Amino acid sequence: MFLRLFKYLWPERYLPETEQDDPFNEDPPPRAAAKVGVLLVNLGTPDTPTKRDIRKYLGEFLSDPRVIEIPRYLWKPILHGLVLTLRPKKLAPRYAGIWLEGGSPLMVYSQRQAEGVRATLAAAGVEAVVELGMRYGNPSIPDAISRLRAQGCERILTVPLYPQYAASTTATVVDAVTHHAGRLRDQPEMRFTKRFHEEPAYLDPLAARIEAYWREHGKPQRLVMSFHGLPRYSIELGDPYYRDCMETARLLSQRLSLPREQIEVTFQSRFGTARWLEPYTEPTLKALAASGVTEVDVVCPGFVADCLETLEEISLECRDAFLGAGGRQFRYIPALNDDPAWIAGLASLVERHLQGWPTHPRT
């Protein structure tokens, strides 16, 4: 602020040192060729499975007004007085139980997806700089955009890694990107993808992954498709998320050639006391076991990378609930993660959304 004031009052002190630095040079040097950037964005993760880092991550995540749509004056005392005091202690051993050598599963697999897309585009002759950002935590969206800009990217495509659109996921990525861009003097051109819940590039690898799992392990009596939940009022206010989930479930069922009676569509990760999308995953699994269903597989189509919600909530907690209610076999089918078919599909989605931008060498 003070530097700007000095520059305004005494501009002669800040004149460019060379002609090339002079913005008013009548014969400026040629610009460097503008590059195209791709920003892949996932939700985020604590830096370490410690209470301190979990508290920091949750504080950022749960302070987003699109995530918790409660008036700030009501939510802040609850967040800082209860949630951030009690929740990190509860979550620390759960995060530690799934942590990988390279970090959290979400981070490890998201990084591999970014590396895979980068390599796939390069092999196809597509010139694009690919960076990973996290909506909450590190690497942050501003840092990822800064890296793209430092590499000469004048055009940036942002790809939220959420198949189904929701205001609390995809829209908040757009918020963060545009907020950062609003602070830049020299802004890049920007594009965003909105969803890919119906895309063959996403559905075909997912169906193939499930079928490959069944070829090795056999089919269950029921396949449960568990999506992340949302409060019902979000849908009533116009959020298209529920419809996106049901369309994904329908198209995935068609690819698997499963009759409707062998499929259950449920919603997980309920938070708070409000009514969320139903049916809930864990009660549904208990009800299936009580009705005599002894074998279930669970897949989470809304997650393209495994994380706490899939590896701990589904694979452990829901497993215990189903077996405790009388079930005999519970299996979680892993997310797409770094599946080569998914990497190729994601790269094809990116390439299609880059059309019209200069991504191939000029001849």
Side-chain angles (χ1 to χ4, degrees):
M1 178 178 176
F2 289 108
L3 181 59
R4 290 182 183 178
L5 179 62
F6 287 136
K7 286 183 177 181
Y8 181 78
L9 295 176
W10 292 286
E12 66 278 0
R13 286 182 156 219
Y14 298 94
L15 289 175
E17 295 182 2
T18 69
E19 280 195 7
Q20 288 196 355
D21 296 326
D22 186 357
F24 303 105
N25 189 339
E26 292 182 2
D27 188 22
R31 296 180 188 272
K35 296 181 181 178
V36 169
V38 178
L39 174 61
L40 302 180
V41 182
N42 214 323
L43 182 74
T45 174
D47 291 334
T48 68
T50 61
K51 290 186 290 185
R52 182 192 63 182
D53 284 342
I54 293 170
R55 184 179 297 110
K56 180 180 178 182
Y57 165 72
L58 286 180
E60 183 181 0
F61 175 42
L62 297 177
S63 294
D64 190 331
R66 283 198 186 269
V67 174
I68 304 295
E69 296 185 82
I70 299 174
R72 297 295 91 190
Y73 69 90
L74 293 176
W75 174 238
K76 286 187 69 174
I78 298 172
L79 175 62
H80 294 281
L82 291 175
V83 177
L84 296 182
T85 301
L86 303 176
R87 192 77 173 155
K89 183 178 180 180
K90 181 179 180 181
L91 289 179
R94 295 170 64 181
Y95 270 110
I98 66 167
W99 214 257
L100 301 177
E101 183 177 348
S104 75
L106 181 70
M107 177 62 71
V108 170
Y109 290 123
S110 296
Q111 288 175 331
R112 291 179 186 176
Q113 289 170 4
E115 292 164 1
V117 169
R118 185 182 300 120
T120 303
L121 292 177
V126 178
E127 293 186 341
V129 182
V130 181
E131 291 287 348
L132 173 68
M134 293 294 183
R135 176 59 185 89
Y136 313 102
N138 298 309
S140 71
I141 285 176
D143 286 347
I145 293 176
S146 295
R147 289 195 299 274
L148 290 171
R149 297 289 282 156
Q151 295 174 77
C153 294
E154 289 285 341
R155 300 173 176 88
I156 297 175
L157 168 69
T158 298
V159 183
L161 293 173
Y162 309 114
Q164 298 79 27
Y165 174 93
S168 57
T169 54
T170 307
T172 194
V173 169
V174 177
D175 290 345
V177 171
T178 54
H179 176 74
H180 178 70
R183 303 172 63 182
L184 300 177
R185 184 172 297 276
D186 183 10
Q187 294 180 330
E189 293 181 49
M190 292 185 293
R191 290 180 184 173
F192 300 87
T193 62
K194 183 171 182 177
R195 54 162 69 88
F196 49 89
H197 71 297
E198 294 182 309
E199 294 282 353
Y202 150 73
L203 289 168
D204 290 346
L206 182 56
R209 190 172 186 82
I210 296 170
E211 289 174 332
Y213 188 89
W214 287 345
R215 282 194 298 271
E216 182 176 354
H217 302 286
K219 283 189 177 181
Q221 292 171 296
R222 291 285 196 283
L223 174 66
V224 177
M225 300 183 188
S226 180
F227 293 86
H228 198 286
L230 278 186
R232 284 181 62 94
Y233 63 74
S234 297
I235 309 305
E236 293 164 355
L237 290 172
D239 203 302
Y241 178 73
Y242 179 78
R243 178 171 181 172
D244 283 7
C245 291
M246 299 310 290
E247 288 175 344
T248 293
R250 174 179 59 83
L251 293 168
L252 184 57
S253 300
Q254 291 174 358
R255 281 167 167 77
L256 298 172
S257 301
L258 286 179
R260 182 64 185 88
E261 59 269 20
Q262 291 185 12
I263 297 172
E264 303 286 342
V265 179
T266 64
F267 297 89
Q268 66 190 75
S269 306
R270 180 185 178 190
F271 180 81
T273 58
R275 186 181 177 189
W276 281 42
L277 293 176
E278 298 172 289
Y280 303 134
T281 299
E282 186 174 315
T284 299
L285 289 166
K286 290 180 178 179
L288 286 172
S291 71
V293 175
T294 60
E295 301 173 356
V296 298
D297 284 357
V298 181
V299 65
C300 297
F303 298 87
V304 297
D306 275 317
C307 56
L308 188 71
E309 285 81 358
T310 62
L311 297 177
E312 212 278 342
E313 180 181 354
I314 295 297
S315 190
L316 297 180
E317 290 184 5
C318 286
R319 174 184 179 274
D320 290 346
F322 179 71
L323 298 181
R328 290 203 304 264
Q329 176 182 282
F330 178 99
R331 303 180 305 200
Y332 167 65
I333 300 176
L336 288 166
N337 294 328
D338 54 354
D339 186 303
W342 161 236
I343 298 296
L346 180 56
S348 71
L349 283 172
V350 167
E351 185 174 3
R352 193 178 79 218
H353 284 277
L354 290 176
Q355 288 183 9
W357 280 354
T359 57
H360 290 79
R362 295 181 180 180
T363 57

